[in-house]
């Protein structure tokens, strides 16, 4: 059974952790400076806690449940619907695309998303985040049945992306790491084996100005959590609290150009090709602009596993 945990702050107090039930928080005893510290020392107590509902969620500041000391790892092009809109064949998925976002882009679930002054093609990507619960320092074969031994929690992530930096510069890290480009939460949803067995039933949804943009089940995912964690364990260490964002479904603002346009672009110099790309997309009204309201949610259709909702407003960055 999932346990809904929140990281929050009251006026003139240190950040704290608590369990949420019916919109109210039962504070957890102890101080946990990082997400890893909480998972090591507070998760078991959170699961065993009897809710008393001392505080209303509405009366506290909800913080990002992933602290900035943790690694922020991402998968790209990992849903069949997103592959199709990117001009790729979902029946030939190829390699698992792995990249990083700067941990400094981690932000609370209701943060304003700041569009840098030079960015015009600002995009959204609702994603399920896996939160590591075990230390992994060597290659490890993770099976679906043993996924709960490595994954302690799930979170809602919006992988905000500056497409006019990411693609022309071939800089995933740079185009996705500006400050506020990683809203996470509101909850750190602790899960067990039974919860993770329902992973494919999670529905990812995102709206812009109340207009639906993304709506897909996690069953559309190509590279699943267990083999992805096995692959990652073969190349890097993982620690409790580290975050792995698992990709986004179709419905992003960015769409692949037609095949004829792609063919002709192959004959152009790089600077001309990408200059045309930016010009063509500049008139696409689906890209985010200051004043836009973004709402994202992830839950199973029966509500038994619910990662919560995010509400963000896009604002213009200063020079």
């Amino acid at each position: 059974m999932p346990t809904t945990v929140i990281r929050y702050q009251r006026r003139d107090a240190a950040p704290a952790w608590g369990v949420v039930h019916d919109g109210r928080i039962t504070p957890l005893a102890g101080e946990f400076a990082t997400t890893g510290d909480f998972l090591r020392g507070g998760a078991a107590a959170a699961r065993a806690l009897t809710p008393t509902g001392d505080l209303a969620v509405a009366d506290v500041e909800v913080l990002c449940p992933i602290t900035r000391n943790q690694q922020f790892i991402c998968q790209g092009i990992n849903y069949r619907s997103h592959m199709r809109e990117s001009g790729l064949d979902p029946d030939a998925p190829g390699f698992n695309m792995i990249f990083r976002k700067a941990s400094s882009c981690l932000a609370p679930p209701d943060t304003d998303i700041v569009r840098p002054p030079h960015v015009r093609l600002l995009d959204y990507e609702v994603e399920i985040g896996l939160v590591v619960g075990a230390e992994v320092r060597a290659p490890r074969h993770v099976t679906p049945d043993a996924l709960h031994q490595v994954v302690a929690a799930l979170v809602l992530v919006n992988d905000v992306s500056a497409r006019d930096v990411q693609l022309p510069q071939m800089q995933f890290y740079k185009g996705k790491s500006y400050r506020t480009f990683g809203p996470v939460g509101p909850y750190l949803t602790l899960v067990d084996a039974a919860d993770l067995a329902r992973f494919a039933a999670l529905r990812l949804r995102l709206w812009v100005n109340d207009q639906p943009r993304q709506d897909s089940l996690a069953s559309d995912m190509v590279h699943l959590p267990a083999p992805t964690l096995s692959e990652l364990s073969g190349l890097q260490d993982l620690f409790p609290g580290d975050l792995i964002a698992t990709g986004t479904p179709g419905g992003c603002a960015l769409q692949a150009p037609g095949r004829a346009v792609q063919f002709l672009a192959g004959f152009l110099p790089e600077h001309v090709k990408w200059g045309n790309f930016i010009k063509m997309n500049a008139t696409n009204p689906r890209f985010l602009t200051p004043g836009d309201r973004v709402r994202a949610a992830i839950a199973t259709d029966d509500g038994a596993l619910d990662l919560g909702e995010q509400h963000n407003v896009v604002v213009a960055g200063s020079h």
Side-chain angles (χ1 to χ4, degrees):
M1 178 180 294
T3 300
T4 302
V5 174
I6 196 168
R7 181 169 172 260
Y8 67 95
Q9 190 165 20
R10 302 173 72 182
R11 185 183 298 274
D12 300 324
W17 299 82
V19 174
V20 177
H21 184 75
D22 289 339
R24 298 193 67 83
I25 303 169
T26 302
L28 280 161
E31 295 183 5
F32 307 104
T34 71
T35 306
D37 291 341
F38 168 74
L39 290 175
R40 293 184 190 95
R47 290 182 183 279
L49 195 68
T50 299
T52 55
D54 301 23
L55 302 168
V57 173
D59 292 338
V60 303
E61 179 185 357
V62 179
L63 304 177
C64 180
I66 307 298
T67 50
R68 291 185 175 184
N69 64 299
Q70 309 288 168
Q71 299 184 88
F72 194 168
I73 304 162
C74 302
Q75 292 176 266
I77 316 294
N78 196 33
Y79 279 72
R80 291 169 180 83
S81 55
H82 189 40
M83 292 181 72
R84 284 191 290 269
E85 73 181 8
S86 301
L88 302 173
D89 181 359
D91 294 322
F95 297 109
N96 194 353
M97 181 188 292
I98 305 291
F99 60 94
R100 290 283 297 269
K101 283 173 77 93
S103 297
S104 56
C105 81
L106 288 165
D110 59 352
T111 191
D112 287 345
I113 297 170
V114 180
R115 189 181 79 167
H118 60 284
V119 170
R120 287 297 173 267
L121 307 183
L122 187 66
D123 212 344
Y124 47 83
E125 295 187 6
V126 60
E127 307 196 9
I128 303 168
L130 311 175
V131 185
V132 176
E135 192 168 299
V136 179
R137 288 182 175 268
R140 178 171 178 172
H141 178 59
V142 181
T143 64
D145 290 344
L147 185 60
H148 65 286
Q149 297 175 7
V150 180
V151 174
L154 301 176
V155 290
L156 167 58
V157 178
N158 188 351
D159 175 18
V160 181
S161 306
R163 303 297 193 192
D164 41 352
V165 176
Q166 174 194 349
L167 298 176
Q169 298 185 27
M170 297 301 290
Q171 293 271 9
F172 275 63
Y173 181 85
K174 198 170 166 184
K176 290 171 171 280
S177 288
Y178 292 95
R179 295 173 185 88
T180 73
F181 274 28
V184 175
Y187 306 135
L188 181 77
T189 304
L190 300 176
V191 289
D192 58 20
D195 301 323
L196 289 171
R198 300 199 65 202
F199 184 88
L202 284 166
R203 183 175 297 278
L204 301 83
R205 294 183 293 168
L206 184 140
W207 301 259
V208 177
N209 300 326
D210 296 323
Q211 297 299 311
R213 296 286 184 87
Q214 295 182 280
D215 188 339
S216 175
L217 292 172
S219 57
D220 192 42
M221 189 179 289
V222 177
H223 300 284
L224 299 176
T228 294
L229 285 163
S230 298
E231 183 176 357
L232 283 171
S233 76
L235 62 100
Q236 72 164 90
D237 295 342
L238 296 169
F239 301 94
D242 287 348
L243 173 63
I244 302 166
T246 55
T248 198
C252 294
L254 180 69
Q255 303 286 311
R259 292 192 176 186
V261 173
Q262 293 184 56
F263 176 78
L264 293 172
F267 295 96
L268 297 174
E270 286 293 299
H271 72 282
V272 175
K273 177 177 72 175
W274 290 114
N276 289 342
F277 163 82
I278 293 172
K279 284 181 182 178
M280 288 174 59
N281 281 281
T283 57
N284 181 348
R286 291 175 64 88
F287 283 106
L288 299 173
T289 57
D292 282 343
R293 294 172 288 107
V294 182
R295 178 164 63 98
I298 299 177
T300 54
D301 287 345
D302 63 6
L305 185 54
D306 189 347
L307 309 189
E309 284 197 6
Q310 293 183 0
H311 298 264
N312 311 99
V313 176
V314 180
V315 299
S318 57
H319 289 276

